[in-house]
Amino acid sequence: MKVFTSKLLAELEEHLIKIDLHKTGTIQSAENAINVTIVILEKLKTFSISHTFENKGDEINFFKIIKPQFVSRLIYYNEIHNIESNKPFGANRHLRKYFNAELDKLKVYFNENLDFYKYFRTGNTVLDKKYFLRGRYDIKLTLDSSYFQADNRFTTSHDFKVAKIIANDQIKVYLENEVAKLDAKPEPYKISERHIQKWTGSKIALIELIYALHAEGVFNNGTTDLKETAKFFEETFDIDLGQFHRTFFEMRARKSERTKFLNSLRDTLVRRMDEVDENV
C-alpha cells in the first residue's frame, strides 16, 4: 500500500508541476489539474477497493493521511477554478472585496467545524475508529450530507473533512497572495477629482455601448479583448459591471429594441443637430 500510494502521489505531483497556473491562464490550468487529479484518484480508488488492509490501523492511516493528500488537490483546483471564473472585472477595490469575501467563506467553514479542526491539528486519535474506518459513523459527529451518497467502499465519515482542511489552507494562501498583489499594485487610472466623469446612466446602457464599440473595432485596431475593454470602462468610471456577459445575453433576448440605448443615443444626437440647425 505505502509503495503504491507514494508512487501514485509522486505521479500526481509531477503532472501538476507541468501544469503551471501561469502558462495557459489560471482557469484553464486549474481545469487541466482537475482532470489529471480525477484520473489519479480513480487509480487510487480501484487499488484501495481491491486491497485488504492488514489491520484497522492501516485502514485509519489510509483514510486519515493518504487519501486526503489526493482529494485535497482536487478540492483546491476546483475552488481556484470557481474563484477565477466568477472573479469580477473592475477596479482593485472591487477585486479586493471579492477575494476578502472568499476568505470569509473559509472562516465560516472553520468556525462550523472548529471541533474537528482542533482534533485533527492536535494529532488526536481518540475518535479515529469512528472518523476513519469504513462503515463507522455517528450522526452526532457533524457529518457532511454527501457522505451518505458516496461509495462506502472508498469513504469514511471524515476523510473528506481532512482533505477540505488541507485544501482550505492552500486556498487561503492563494487568496491572500492575490490581495497582496492588489495592495502592491497602484490603481492604473489616476484622475483628479475635478476631472472625474461619473457614469450616471444604467449599467445595461453602458454594457450595450461597450459591446457596440468593441464590435466596431475602435480600440487598438480591433485587437483589444472584450474583457480588457470592459475593465477599462469599469476603472475609468469606477463602476462594477458584474457578469456583463449575462446582461448581453439578456439584451439579445429582447423581443423589441435590442439596441435600446444606441437607438436612444442616435435619436438624441439627431435632435441636438436639428436644434443647432434651427438656431443658425
Side-chain angles (χ1 to χ4, degrees), residues 35 37 85 87 92 108 143 146 150 165 181 183 189 193 221 234 263-264:
N35 292 332
T37 307
S85 297
K87 185 171 68 175
N92 287 357
V108 170
L143 296 180
S146 58
I165 289 174
K181 290 178 186 177
D183 291 339
Y189 301 104
E193 285 292 330
N221 297 315
E234 285 185 314
N263 293 345
S264 177

Side-chain angles (χ1 to χ4, degrees), residues 20-35:
D20 190 329
L21 284 177
H22 303 289
K23 284 183 178 178
T24 59
T26 306
I27 295 176
Q28 184 59 55
S29 295
E31 187 174 326
N32 293 340
I34 289 169
N35 292 332

Side-chain angles (χ1 to χ4, degrees), residues 226-269:
L226 178 62
K227 292 181 180 179
E228 288 299 317
T229 301
K231 183 177 180 181
F232 170 82
F233 276 87
E234 285 185 314
E235 293 176 338
T236 300
F237 295 121
D238 191 24
I239 187 172
D240 181 8
L241 295 177
Q243 300 296 319
F244 61 89
H245 293 293
R246 294 181 183 176
T247 304
F248 179 65
F249 292 143
E250 292 172 3
M251 288 160 48
R252 288 173 54 197
R254 291 173 182 168
K255 294 183 178 180
S256 62
E257 277 199 298
R258 294 206 293 179
T259 56
K260 184 177 180 179
F261 180 62
L262 295 179
N263 293 345
S264 177
L265 278 181
R266 178 185 178 281
D267 293 342
T268 302
L269 180 58

Side-chain angles (χ1 to χ4, degrees), residues 48-191:
S48 68
I49 290 175
S50 62
H51 177 79
T52 301
F53 292 102
E54 294 183 7
N55 51 56
K56 292 179 180 179
D58 285 342
E59 184 174 347
I60 288 172
N61 183 69
F62 176 79
F63 287 104
K64 184 177 182 179
I65 305 299
I66 297 174
K67 182 187 172 186
Q69 294 181 67
F70 292 84
V71 178
S72 64
R73 265 74 166 184
L74 182 59
I75 296 172
Y76 172 77
Y77 286 108
N78 186 53
E79 285 302 312
I80 297 305
H81 186 276
N82 291 335
I83 288 169
E84 290 296 326
S85 297
N86 295 308
K87 185 171 68 175
F89 293 95
N92 287 357
R93 64 186 183 88
H94 296 308
L95 292 171
R96 190 179 293 106
K97 180 179 179 182
Y98 173 74
F99 288 130
N100 283 327
E102 292 298 317
L103 283 168
D104 287 340
K105 291 179 184 179
L106 299 182
K107 293 177 184 176
V108 170
Y109 187 85
F110 173 81
N111 291 331
E112 290 177 346
N113 296 275
L114 184 57
D115 288 341
F116 186 71
Y117 264 85
K118 290 179 179 178
Y119 179 88
F120 177 70
R121 286 180 166 165
T122 58
N124 204 331
T125 60
V126 175
L127 296 174
D128 277 5
K129 290 182 179 179
K130 288 188 175 182
Y131 286 152
F132 305 111
L133 288 179
R134 291 168 294 180
R136 304 280 189 91
Y137 65 89
D138 188 337
I139 297 292
K140 299 176 182 178
L141 295 176
T142 318
L143 296 180
D144 291 324
S145 297
S146 58
Y147 167 71
F148 300 103
Q149 301 294 322
D151 187 340
N152 57 25
R153 298 173 301 170
F154 189 56
T155 306
T156 67
S157 66
H158 282 67
D159 67 79
F160 183 82
K161 283 188 183 293
V162 174
K164 185 75 172 172
I165 289 174
I166 296 171
N168 280 1
D169 286 344
Q170 296 171 335
I171 295 167
K172 181 174 181 289
V173 171
Y174 180 88
L175 291 170
E176 288 176 341
N177 285 339
E178 291 302 305
V179 172
K181 290 178 186 177
L182 294 174
D183 291 339
K185 179 182 177 182
E187 294 286 354
Y189 301 104
K190 294 295 183 181
I191 306 174

